[in-house]
């Protein structure tokens, strides 16, 4: 017998859970794209996107996913033959670099592996050796969704400043925008890419590139008509926002998602993600007392708060994903970028998630471990409940 009927929970690291309010806002007849409400609604998104990213800079929007934003970022800032320094801490920055290479950019890659964050000493060394400033941009990911490592972006900027290196700092915040603290201007980030389907709680379909004047001044010869961000930020006519028909319904959804973030307050959004992640980590600390299951990132200060990657005994990761989905209606994330993907799984806890969803997810994992006879320590749910009890504070 399966116990999966009832509301399912997609606990993968993107797309995330879509709020009913977002879905309801999208459920409407096609709006006029030439005048009226949609035009004003689209203008209104820009200041709210800026405030979520903590920047006074520009934001260009594209109909596309995160990969589209990656390509837009490279196209607008680099020239054929430029070198970029790729700081790989999992699958995603490698993917961004591969895309740049295909566009004619030369890669210099430092691979920190799947279990570590960026080692600033190695970055300092690479920048010091680049006396001719061949490196035009440093590419990194704030939270790599495959390894769930979180990089210290401010420390990276400080390292670049100390090296007196003029390269652009370009950061992928796909998995972390609206989840983990990110301060684009205060941390000195020149360009940041994100998508709408993770912390921004909207079905996949809009990619964002945020950038400052320094990034704007880098304009090289890779830019093409569609990816050019200039017309998308100096919008003379409405169709310029998306270079053609706007993603009408997504815009209604995104408007409500940003309203929800504003209502909660972005600092509170970050705190909620942080407490819920700590509850998950507390459960794992108890489970890890027995058996082979381990969090991929051992140092809590280096873990993203929107996604958790887990290593397991042989085949257990895949078996657990199958069990929770088929028997309990909970979909866990696959092991991504791993050779032995079956010995790995990931939990998405980004965006529209709350305490009871996290407790339900952990309880379901516990049931799966029990059913599959995967060895694990006791007390995980008690430990998670204690974190939530103290993190929630008094009833207002
Ligand atoms: C999801 C994700 C991407 C890719 O986004 P798509 O929308 O799937 O193209 C890139 N980088 C990171 C860190 C991600 O989490």
């Amino acid at each position: 017998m399966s116990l999966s009927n009832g509301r399912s929970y997609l606990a993968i690291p993107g797309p995330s859970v879509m709020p009913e309010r977002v879905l309801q806002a999208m459920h409407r007849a096609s709006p006029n794209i030439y005048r009226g409400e949609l035009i004003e609604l689209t203008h209104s998104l820009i200041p709210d996107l800026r405030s979520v990213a903590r920047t006074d800079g520009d934001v260009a929007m594209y109909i596309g996913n995160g990969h589209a934003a990656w390509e837009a970022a490279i196209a607008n800032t680099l020239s054929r033959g430029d070198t970029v320094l790729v700081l790989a801490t999992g699958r995603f920055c490698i993917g961004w670099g591969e895309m740049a290479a295909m566009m004619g950019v030369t890669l210099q890659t430092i691979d920190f592996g799947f279990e570590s964050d960026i080692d600033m000493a190695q970055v300092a060394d690479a920048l010091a050796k680049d006396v001719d400033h061949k490196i035009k941009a440093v590419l990194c990911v704030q939270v790599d969704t495959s390894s769930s490592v979180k990089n210290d972006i401010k420390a990276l900027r400080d390292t670049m400043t100390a090296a007196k290196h003029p390269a652009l700092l370009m950061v992928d915040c796909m998995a972390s925008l609206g989840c983990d603290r990110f301060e684009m201007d205060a941390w000195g980030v020149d360009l940041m890419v994100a998508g709408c389907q993770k912390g921004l709680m909207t079905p996949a379909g809009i990619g964002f590139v945020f950038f400052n004047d320094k990034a704007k001044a880098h304009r090289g010869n890779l830019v093409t008509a569609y990816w050019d961000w200039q017309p998308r930020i100096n919008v003379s006519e409405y169709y310029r926002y998306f270079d053609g028909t706007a993603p009408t319904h997504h815009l209604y959804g995104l408007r409500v998602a940003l309203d929800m973030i504003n209502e909660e307050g972005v600092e509170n959004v970050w705190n909620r993600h942080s407490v819920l992640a700590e509850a998950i980590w507390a459960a794992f600390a108890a489970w890890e007392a027995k058996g082979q299951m381990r969090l991929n990132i051992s140092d809590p200060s280096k873990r993203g708060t929107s996604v958790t990657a887990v290593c397991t005994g042989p085949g257990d990761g895949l078996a657990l994903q199958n069990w929770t989905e088929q028997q309990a209606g909970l979909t866990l994330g696959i092991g991504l970028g791993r050779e032995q993907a079956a010995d790995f799984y990931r939990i998405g806890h980004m965006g529209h998630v709350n305490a009871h969803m996290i407790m339900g997810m952990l309880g379901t994992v516990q049931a799966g471990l029990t059913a599959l006879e995967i060895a694990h320590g006791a007390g995980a749910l008690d430990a998670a409940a204690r974190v939530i009890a103290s993190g929630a504070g008094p009833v207002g």
Side-chain angles (χ1 to χ4, degrees), residues 13-14 64-68 70 92-93 141-146 172-176 193 195 197-198 204 350:
N65 54 18
H67 284 69
W70 275 352
F92 283 93
C93 202
V141 178
Q142 187 188 18
V143 173
D144 193 296
T145 327
S146 58
D172 171 342
C173 290
M174 307 275 182
S176 48
V193 289
Q197 79 275 26
K198 298 189 184 183
M350 48 178 57

Side-chain angles (χ1 to χ4, degrees), residues 35 37 44 84 90 97 102 110 146 158 164 199 205 251 263 280-281 305 345 349 361 381 393:
R35 65 179 69 87
E37 182 179 85
S44 80
V84 295
M102 198 160 197
I110 311 179
S146 58
D158 292 345
K164 298 193 170 60
L251 298 175
E263 286 160 18
I280 294 170
W281 304 338
T305 64
Y345 69 98
H349 35 102
M361 177 276 291
L381 298 178

Side-chain angles (χ1 to χ4, degrees), residues 3 10 19 40 47 57 62 67 106 111 129 141 151 199 204 220 232 239-240 246 259 268 276 313 345-346:
L3 301 171
L10 185 71
E40 291 313 313
Y62 297 85
H67 284 69
T106 302
D111 194 340
K129 284 187 179 131
V141 178
N151 287 306
R232 293 170 188 257
Y239 83 92
R240 292 281 188 175
D259 289 343
N268 293 328
L276 296 178
Y345 69 98
R346 294 174 306 153

